[in-house]
Amino acid sequence: STPQDDEGGRRFPPDFAWGSATASYQIEGAVAEGGRTPSIWDTFSHTPGKVQDGDTGDVAVDHYHRFREDVAIMRELGLTTYRMSVAWPRITPDVGPDALGPVNEEGLAFYRELVAELVAAGIEPAVTLYHWDLPQALEDAGGWTDRRTAERFAEYAVVVAQALSPEVPTYITLNEPWCSAYLGYASGVHAPGRQDPAAALAAVHHLNLAHGLATTAIRAAVPDARIGLTLNLAWVHSEAGDPADDDAVRRVDGLQNRVFLDPVLEGRYPDDVLADTAAVTDWSFIQDGDLDLVHQVPDVLGVNYYSPTVVRHWDGSRPRQIADGHGLTVATPWIACDEVEFPEQPGLHTEMGWPIDARGLTELLVRMHREHPGLDLMVTENGAAFPDVLADDGGVHDQDRIDYLRDHLGAVLDAIEQGAPVRGYFLWSLLDNFEWSFGYSKRFGIVHIDYDTQVRTLKDSARWYSQVVRSGGALPHQ
Ligand code: GBH
C-alpha cells in the first residue's frame, strides 16, 4: 500500500525517479553542425507535403546551443532524472550498410558536455539510442527492412554506451518500434514515408533484432549498463466487451503489443500474428537463430502511454469509423485489420484528438507485472498536447494539462498499489518541440517555447509538477 501524506492525499515510494523526456530531432536543431549528416527525418521534413506547414527540425528549439539553460530549468524544477536521445548521425556520420565508419568525436563531445551538465545538476540521465533519426545512408540501403541496419545499430550502441558510461547508467535501445515500423513503412506518415505492409513487417523483425543485438553488445562491453526497451503498448479493448469484437482486440493486441513483447521477452513470435499476416509476407527475413538473438530481456521495460485504443468488429454494413490520431494518414498502419474499426470516443480529447482515459496506464502496467513478474517498469513517456496560450500576465495557464497529469500519475499509483514495480515517470515533454508530422503546431511541453525568440516560459503545469516532485511524490487533489 502507498503511504498517505499529511493531507490524506497519496504518495509515491521514496526512491521513485521523477523526470521528463525529449528526443534529439525534436529539440536539438543544428542539423548541419558538429559533423552531423542527414537522418531520415531531415529528408522527410524537407519533402513538401509530409509535415504540417512545411516545418522541419533544422532549428527546432535550438537545444544544441541552449542545453545549459534547459538543464538549469530541470534543476529549478527539482527533477531527478532526464530521458534524452542521442542522434545516431552525430556519432557515426559516415555509416553505411556494411560498415559503421569512423566515430565523430565532435558528436560524442556534445553529449558528454550535456551529460556532465546534467550530473552537475544532480540529474541522472537515461539515454535512448534510437528515437527515429536513422542515418539517411542506411535508409538508402533499405533502412529497417535490411538486417544490416540492426547490425550497425548494435555497433553504434556500444560506441555511445562506452563513451557515456558510467555517468549514464541506463540505455534504452529503441523508442516505440511500433511507430518506426508501421508509421514509417506502412502508413507512411513518419519517415521514411514508405507505404508497403510487407516492408513494415520486415522492419518489425529487424527492430526487434536491433534491440537484441545491441543489448548483447552493450552487456559485453559495459557490464554495469542497465538496458531498457521502450514500447508504446496499447490498452486495447472494445466498448461493449462483445465477443464479436474479440478478434479485433486480438489483432490489434498482436500487432502493437505481442509482436514486440513475445520475441524480446519469450523468444517467439505470436502464431496468430504470423498467420494473420501470411498473405502479406512469409516472414522469411527471420533467419535461423534470430529468435535467440532477439530474446534479450531488458533490465527495465519502458511503457509510453497517451490514450486508450478502442476497437470494434466492422462487418461492412455501415461506413467504417477510423478515429485517426494522425490526421495525415493516407494508408493504414494496421496490417490485416480490414474488419477492425476504431470508433470515435465520447468525452475529453487532447489537442491531438486523442481521447483521455487514464485507466489504460494502470491496466498496462498491471498487465506487464502479471505477465512478466520481476520485470522492472518505468513510464518513459506520458503527457498531452493542449492549445496553450501565452497569457497577458506572461504565464501559460494550462489547467487541462495539470488535470491530465494528475489523473495519469494517480493511475501510476494505482498500478504500484497493485504490486507493479514502477520505478519512475518521465513526463513528455520538458519543452514544446517538433511534433513529427504535426510540426510545431502541437505543444506537449511543460515549458512553453516562443518559436520566434526561443524564449522559454514555465507553464503552470511545470510548477505543478515541480511541487509534486519536491514534495517527494505527494499527489495533490488539485
Ligand atoms: C510518442 O509517440 C513519441 O515517442 C514522441 O516522440 C512524441 O512526440 C510523443 O509520443 C507525442 O506524440 O491513430 O492509429 O495512428 C506517440 C505516438 C501516439 C502513435 C498515438 C500512435 C495513435 C495511433 N503514438 N498514436 S493511430
Side-chain angles (χ1 to χ4, degrees), residues 22-23 26 83 131-132 175-176 178-179 183 187 189-190 230 232 256 304 306-309 322-327 329 332-334 342 352 354 381 383 385 428-429 433-436 438 444:
T22 64
Q26 295 181 272
R83 174 174 177 248
H131 201 127
W132 308 351
N175 177 70
E176 300 191 352
W178 183 90
C179 292
L183 302 182
S187 74
V189 298
H190 280 190
T230 283
N232 56 320
Q256 184 151 353
N304 290 359
Y306 290 89
S307 187
T309 304
I322 304 284
D324 178 10
H326 279 272
T329 301
T332 182
W334 297 106
F342 296 83
M352 299 299 287
W354 301 344
E381 285 181 30
W428 186 273
S429 182
N433 63 53
F434 177 80
E435 177 53 26
W436 306 114
F438 295 90
F444 274 89

Side-chain angles (χ1 to χ4, degrees), residues 260-267 294-298 301 368 372 375:
F260 300 104
L261 291 166
D262 290 9
V264 167
L265 300 177
E266 293 165 30
V294 171
H295 185 196
Q296 288 296 324
V297 177
L301 181 71
M368 288 305 106
H372 305 284
L375 180 61

Side-chain angles (χ1 to χ4, degrees), residues 16-23 26 81-85 126-128 131 170-177 226-233 300-306 361 365 376-383 409 412 422-430 465:
F16 196 77
W18 294 98
S20 63
T22 64
Q26 295 181 272
T81 185
Y82 173 54
R83 174 174 177 248
M84 52 178 265
S85 82
V127 161
T128 304
H131 201 127
T170 306
Y171 298 89
I172 295 165
T173 54
L174 305 176
N175 177 70
E176 300 191 352
R226 178 193 195 209
I227 308 290
L229 169 65
T230 283
L231 301 177
N232 56 320
L233 297 175
V300 58
L301 181 71
V303 175
N304 290 359
Y305 179 80
Y306 290 89
L361 187 48
L365 294 167
D376 270 3
L377 304 170
M378 289 197 301
V379 177
T380 39
E381 285 181 30
N382 174 244
L409 285 173
V412 177
V422 188
R423 306 303 181 200
Y425 175 89
F426 296 84
L427 195 164
W428 186 273
S429 182
L430 179 69
Y465 187 51

